[in-house]
């Protein structure tokens, strides 16, 4: 039987969000994305080059790997802790303050880092700060809003990553080559966003702590797929779609240089333009479909359709022969990705096993967003070598087609979900 979008309540104790809720939620989410993505894409590499140019790629691999692992572990752990928090500040708001501290530590350590260990500490602090804000932003949807009003807020959170990437990289370009400013400005935006959401969020204190023992600690990282099959289908769908996202995001620079013959000195501008096209397409269509999803009381058709559009875009990118064709493909990818993220988040909030304590399970769902960033670099070399020749040593067509197939499979896995229409 499908869950009702009309009658399901928001979280216990909620009086509904205050005016400006969507703005402050978006500010915090976009700021977190800026603080997370600018180091991952740009400043971490620049700092590693300062430390040791000959070993910079190795340093980045180690630092990014440890930071990503810490972030993956933090998502469900921080969610579990927020579910159990009975502070007078509320259940979720203390974790915004935690993020503020972590952002400050992360930026400070990157500024002063003289070795790989300190740079790794910077990445761990920054990436876990991102996890902390993301846990809050997703959990407050179930705390504050009934299911039939979650579309716009879901769209705001879904769009935060592409918007954060564009705004963060644009800001970094404005102050380049001043590395200090490139490090501090994204962190300052994230701190400001977290503090403003902390100040404005109506977050009732938790009334009682859920039971907790050693078995519950292990369950932090697990939802039984046999008992909660719809949650498992949604998790697997998101993982597959984000495998496609990671394929094009991580390897488009190499694709532009090796296939479309961009000179290295021009590729940064091309990547920024493609990111801008993707973000514009996502920003244009995601809010519209999120509101329409609320109005029609339907989630699955939008999520399935978005994943299919995303797969088509990746398929077109696989056979693009010019930068113009690639931009068209990226625009279609952005349309599908934006709509998918906007509506899928709303769908997922209706599938959590315990809506009153949603932080842990939404934290687990967020792992499906980030895990592909580690999986794709591990499997991409094997895919890129398929049919490789001396003239074409990297098979990007195969890589993007695998991403498209992952998107198609992600769409298919939404269909078995029964408890949400």
């Amino acid at each position: 039987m499908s869950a009702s979008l009309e009658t399901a309540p928001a979280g216990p104790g909620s009086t509904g969000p205050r005016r400006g809720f969507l703005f402050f939620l978006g500010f915090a989410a976009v700021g977190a994305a800026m603080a997370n993505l600018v180091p991952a894409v740009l400043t971490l590499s620049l700092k590693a080059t300062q430390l040791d140019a000959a070993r910079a790629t190795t340093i980045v691999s180690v630092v990014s790997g440890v930071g990503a692992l810490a972030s993956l572990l933090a998502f469900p752990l921080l969610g579990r802790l927020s579910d159990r928090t009975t502070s007078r500040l509320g259940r979720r708001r203390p974790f915004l303050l935690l993020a503020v501290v972590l952002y400050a530590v992360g930026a400070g350590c990157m500024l002063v880092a003289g070795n790989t260990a300190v740079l790794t500490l910077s990445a761990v602090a920054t990436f876990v700060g991102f996890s902390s804000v993301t846990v809050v932003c997703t959990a407050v949807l179930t705390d504050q809003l009934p299911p039939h009003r979650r579309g716009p807020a879901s769209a705001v959170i879904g769009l935060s990553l592409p918007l954060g990437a564009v705004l963060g990289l644009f800001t970094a370009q404005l102050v380049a080559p001043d590395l200090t400013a490139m490090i501090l400005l994204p962190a300052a935006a994230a701190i400001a966003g977290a503090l403003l959401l902390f100040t404005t969020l109506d977050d009732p204190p938790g009334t009682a702590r859920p039971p907790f023992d050693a078995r519950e600690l292990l369950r932090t990282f697990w939802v039984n797929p046999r008992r909660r099959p719809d949650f498992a289908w949604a998790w697997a769908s998101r993982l597959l779609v984000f495998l496609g996202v990671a394929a094009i995001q991580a390897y488009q620079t190499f694709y532009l240089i090796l296939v479309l013959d961009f000179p290295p000195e021009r590729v940064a501008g091309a990547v920024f333009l493609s990111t801008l096209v993707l973000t514009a397409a996502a920003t244009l269509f995601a809010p519209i479909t999120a509101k329409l999803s609320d109005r029609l009381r339907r989630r699955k058709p939008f999520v399935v359709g978005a994943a299919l559009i995303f797969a088509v875009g990746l398929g077109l990118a696989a056979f693009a022969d010019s930068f113009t064709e690639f931009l068209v493909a990226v625009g279609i990818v952005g349309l599908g990705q934006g709509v998918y993220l906007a509506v899928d988040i709303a769908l997922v909030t209706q599938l959590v096993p315990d809506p009153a304590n949603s932080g842990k399970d939404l934290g687990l769902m967020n792992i499906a967003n980030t895990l592909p960033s580690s999986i794709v670099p591990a499997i991409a070399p094997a895919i890129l070598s398929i049919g490789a020749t001396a003239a074409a040593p990297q098979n990007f067509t195969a890589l993007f087609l695998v991403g498209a197939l992952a998107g198609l499979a992600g769409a298919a896995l939404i269909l078995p979900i029964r408890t949400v229409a």
Side-chain angles (χ1 to χ4, degrees):
M1 189 175 192
S2 295
S4 171
L5 292 184
E6 298 282 358
T7 60
S14 173
T15 58
R18 295 178 180 176
R19 181 175 296 180
F21 171 71
L22 287 182
F23 172 79
F24 293 115
L25 181 73
F27 193 160
V30 171
M34 290 174 64
N36 189 64
L37 292 172
V38 172
V41 173
L42 185 61
T43 53
L44 182 59
S45 297
L46 295 176
K47 186 67 178 184
T49 301
Q50 281 189 354
L51 293 180
D52 187 344
R55 296 180 56 250
T57 55
T58 302
I59 292 172
V60 169
S61 297
V62 171
V63 171
S64 298
V66 175
L69 177 61
S71 181
L72 287 174
L73 295 173
F75 275 123
L77 282 174
L78 293 174
R80 170 76 79 181
L81 290 172
S82 74
D83 288 339
R84 294 176 50 79
T85 297
T86 57
S87 163
R88 294 198 305 186
L89 293 175
R91 291 204 299 171
R92 315 299 183 189
R93 292 169 74 221
F95 294 88
L96 294 171
L97 293 182
L98 172 64
V100 168
V101 174
L102 290 172
Y103 287 140
V105 170
C109 286
M110 184 175 286
L111 284 175
V112 304
N115 54 55
T116 303
V118 177
L119 197 57
T120 301
L121 177 60
S122 166
V124 168
T126 300
F127 294 175
V128 174
F130 170 75
S131 299
S132 192
V133 171
T134 303
V135 162
V136 173
C137 288
T138 51
V140 296
L141 264 64
T142 58
D143 294 346
Q144 300 277 331
L145 298 167
H148 68 280
R149 291 180 53 204
R150 291 177 189 165
S154 174
V156 165
I157 297 171
L159 290 172
S160 64
L161 286 176
L163 283 173
V166 168
L167 292 175
L169 292 174
F170 179 73
T171 301
Q173 285 186 350
L174 287 179
V175 297
D178 185 347
L179 185 57
T180 298
M182 295 168 72
I183 292 170
L184 291 180
L185 286 178
I191 289 171
L195 288 175
L196 284 172
L197 185 59
F198 173 85
T199 303
T200 58
L201 183 63
D202 183 11
D203 182 29
T207 55
R209 290 181 178 175
F212 190 78
D213 55 28
R215 287 180 299 178
E216 283 300 309
L217 178 61
L218 294 177
R219 291 192 189 109
T220 296
F221 300 96
W222 177 253
V223 171
N224 190 326
R226 297 184 64 182
R227 296 181 61 186
R228 303 289 180 180
D230 286 354
F231 186 89
W233 289 125
W235 193 94
S237 169
R238 183 177 284 201
L239 179 75
L240 287 168
V241 170
F242 271 85
L243 282 172
V245 172
I248 195 165
Q249 286 185 341
Y251 288 89
Q252 65 172 313
T253 298
F254 299 109
Y255 172 81
L256 293 172
I257 293 173
L258 298 175
V259 177
L260 298 186
D261 297 321
F262 268 79
E265 62 270 16
R266 289 181 52 214
V267 77
V271 170
F272 178 76
L273 181 58
S274 69
T275 304
L276 186 62
V277 168
L278 185 148
T279 303
T283 304
L284 178 62
F285 289 99
I288 297 171
T289 52
K291 290 183 179 180
L292 187 59
S293 173
D294 275 356
R295 181 171 298 178
L296 297 177
R297 311 296 197 252
R298 302 293 298 274
R299 305 295 189 203
K300 285 170 58 177
F302 290 94
V303 175
V304 171
L308 292 174
I309 293 169
F310 171 81
V312 169
L314 269 176
L316 292 174
F319 296 101
D321 291 324
S322 68
F323 187 53
T324 301
E325 291 179 10
F326 182 72
L327 288 180
V328 171
V330 165
I332 295 172
V333 168
L335 192 162
Q337 181 182 340
V339 174
Y340 183 92
L341 287 173
V343 183
D344 184 64
I345 292 173
L347 180 146
V348 165
T349 61
Q350 294 172 235
L351 298 176
V352 291
D354 181 7
N357 297 287
S358 61
K360 184 271 288 188
D361 295 313
L362 291 175
L364 275 175
M365 190 60 68
N366 282 319
I367 289 178
N369 301 8
T370 53
L371 189 58
S373 297
S374 300
I375 294 175
V376 167
I379 65 174
I383 298 172
L384 289 168
S385 67
I386 296 173
T389 65
Q394 305 287 334
N395 192 342
F396 290 95
T397 298
L399 180 65
F400 293 160
L401 284 178
V402 168
L405 291 174
L408 291 174
L413 293 185
I414 292 295
L415 298 176
I417 294 174
R418 293 287 179 262
T419 54
V420 175

